[in-house]
């Protein structure tokens, strides 16, 4: 008895082998990667603004923190992926994920629902198919312009899972169940006109009384002369600016007139959603459009199908076929369809320089990434090193 007890004591008190320095480093790095991934997926993530579609609410070079908690963290749909890479490895250019394992869309409970005017980060809805050589150009737009054969024969075309599509940031203009329309550049939601935010931009035609203009005046008003002002005729210039900025321009003694520029009603812009030749819609005049809502049923006919065909087929995963004068859904005749998800209408604040829902339609709820919270850093590529940091934008909230 004593001998066995002595054996146990000897075994328990035997000194443990100390970890090597390299093993300690590996354990520390592994822990840091796992912790950072959990924070990034379920709590908060950093993003940067690459384009001017949200100017002047958000500027190129703004670095944001985006909350996953507000709308509820989305459980990864493509769980096997390289940490901190989105869809492409930075050096090799190869896929940063393996789509052999795909999980169904699930979202944990959040603090709130998406509200109108929220600034939202989401996966680009039409990013399901990409031509790798020219990823900055919308694949479906190229197909409409040049034909399917021309694009698929000359480019490497790939498909991407929902959570590996490009990240976009826009303002939510309409939520599920809303009716959206636009006339002369002014959006209406459920019949109520909604003016552009004071930080949003439109295009204006400014006519001067004289050709002798000191353009430094406009720099003092916040304009970037090389980007925001372009000459269209001897005394008339095209300005891109906010309503408050243009009010100041109109009060200058050498300005004859300031007029907002929009496309005429009835003019058809072929790349505007839903790409229906029977609808004479453009980026400044369209609608009304009913945004799909979970549980909402629509009749399937020649009027509704251009609006909802992609949502039924691509976003909700049904096999949709035309059969004579009617439709087949998953092989069965259907005269109506009931939506399984909520959808949203997103638009950029820089209204005439934004690729948004006017050009690709609805954003499904499973594409929602999170809510933009605040700017933690803002960096201007022009000027000296010290002046490159936009100090007045640091830690600024996003409205």
């Amino acid at each position: 008895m004593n001998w066995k007890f002595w054996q146990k004591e000897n075994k328990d008190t035997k000194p443990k082998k100390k970890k090597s320095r390299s093993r300690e480093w590996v354990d520390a790095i592994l822990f840091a990667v796992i912790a950072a991934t959990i924070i990034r997926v379920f709590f908060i993530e950093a993003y940067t603004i690459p384009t001017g579609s949200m100017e002047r609410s958000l500027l190129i070079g703004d670095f944001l923190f985006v909350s996953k908690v507000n709308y509820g963290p989305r459980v990864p749909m493509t769980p096997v992926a390289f940490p901190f890479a989105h869809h492409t490895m930075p050096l090799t250019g190869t896929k940063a994920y393996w789509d052999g394992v795909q999980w169904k869309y699930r979202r944990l409970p959040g603090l709130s629902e998406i509200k109108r005017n929220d600034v939202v980060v989401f996966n680009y809805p039409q990013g399901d198919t990409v031509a790798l050589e020219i990823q900055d150009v919308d694949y479906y737009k190229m197909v409409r312009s040049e034909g399917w054969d021309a694009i698929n024969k000359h480019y490497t075309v790939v498909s991407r899972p929902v959570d590996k599509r490009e990240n976009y940031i826009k303002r939510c203009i309409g939520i599920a169940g809303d009716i959206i329309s636009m006339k002369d550049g002014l959006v209406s939601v459920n019949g109520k006109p909604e003016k552009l935010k004071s930080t949003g931009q439109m295009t204006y035609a400014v006519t001067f009384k004289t050709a002798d203009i000191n353009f430094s005046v406009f720099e003092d008003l916040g304009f970037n002369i090389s980007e925001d002002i372009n000459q269209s005729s001897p005394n008339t210039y095209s300005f891109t600016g906010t309503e408050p900025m243009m009010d100041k321009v109109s009060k200058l003694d050498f300005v004859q007139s300031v007029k907002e520029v929009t496309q005429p009603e009835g003019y058809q812009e072929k790349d505007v959603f839903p790409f229906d030749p029977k609808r004479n819609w453009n980026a400044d005049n369209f609608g009304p459009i009913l945004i799909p809502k979970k549980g909402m049923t629509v009749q399937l006919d020649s009027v509704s199908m251009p609006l909802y065909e992609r949502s039924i087929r691509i976003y909700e995963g049904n096999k949709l076929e035309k059969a004579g004068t009617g439709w087949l859904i998953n092989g069965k005749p259907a005269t109506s369809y009931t939506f399984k998800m909520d959808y949203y209408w997103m638009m950029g604040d820089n209204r005439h320089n934004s690729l948004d829902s006017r050009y690709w339609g609805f954003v499904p709820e499973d594409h929602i990434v999170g809510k933009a919270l605040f700017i933690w850093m803002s960096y201007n590529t022009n000027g000296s090193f010290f002046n490159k940091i936009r100090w007045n934008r640091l830690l600024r909230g996003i409205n």
Side-chain angles (χ1 to χ4, degrees), residues 103-116:
W103 291 348
K104 291 183 179 180
Y105 163 64
R106 294 180 180 86
R107 191 177 293 274
L108 301 179
L111 301 177
S112 67
E113 301 292 330
I114 298 177
K115 299 181 180 65
R116 299 183 196 94

Side-chain angles (χ1 to χ4, degrees), residues 90-192:
L91 297 177
T92 63
T94 55
K95 285 200 309 185
Y97 60 91
W98 181 55
D99 50 11
V101 176
Q102 288 287 292
W103 291 348
K104 291 183 179 180
Y105 163 64
R106 294 180 180 86
R107 191 177 293 274
L108 301 179
L111 301 177
S112 67
E113 301 292 330
I114 298 177
K115 299 181 180 65
R116 299 183 196 94
N117 286 317
D118 280 359
V119 177
V120 181
V121 172
F122 55 92
N123 297 116
Y124 179 42
Q126 290 198 165
D128 61 313
T129 308
V130 178
L132 291 181
E133 291 81 359
I134 43 174
Q135 296 186 41
D136 292 339
V137 182
D138 185 280
Y139 167 81
Y140 293 98
K141 182 178 179 180
M142 291 191 297
V143 169
R144 288 194 301 271
S145 175
E146 302 178 40
W148 188 92
D149 287 340
I151 301 304
N152 283 265
K153 287 181 179 179
H154 293 91
Y155 298 102
T156 306
V157 177
V158 300
S159 297
R160 284 178 178 159
V162 170
D163 56 343
K164 297 303 177 184
R165 297 169 191 173
E166 291 291 349
N167 291 315
Y168 272 43
I169 182 167
K170 307 288 178 188
R171 190 176 299 279
C172 179
I173 302 300
I175 60 175
D178 282 348
I179 297 175
I180 296 289
S181 62
M182 195 170 189
K183 184 174 182 180
D184 297 330
L186 179 62
V187 174
S188 291
V189 182
N190 299 324
K192 180 183 177 182

Side-chain angles (χ1 to χ4, degrees), residues 299-310 312 320 327:
Q299 298 302 308
L300 304 183
D301 52 37
S302 59
V303 176
S304 64
M305 285 306 292
L307 292 170
Y308 304 120
E309 178 268 337
R310 181 172 175 83
I312 296 170
L320 181 65
W327 298 88

Side-chain angles (χ1 to χ4, degrees), residues 235-254:
N235 280 13
T236 302
Y237 288 74
S238 174
F239 276 61
T240 300
T242 66
E243 186 176 10
M245 291 167 68
M246 298 312 299
D247 284 342
K248 295 177 181 178
V249 170
S250 65
K251 294 174 182 177
L252 297 173
D253 56 7
F254 55 86

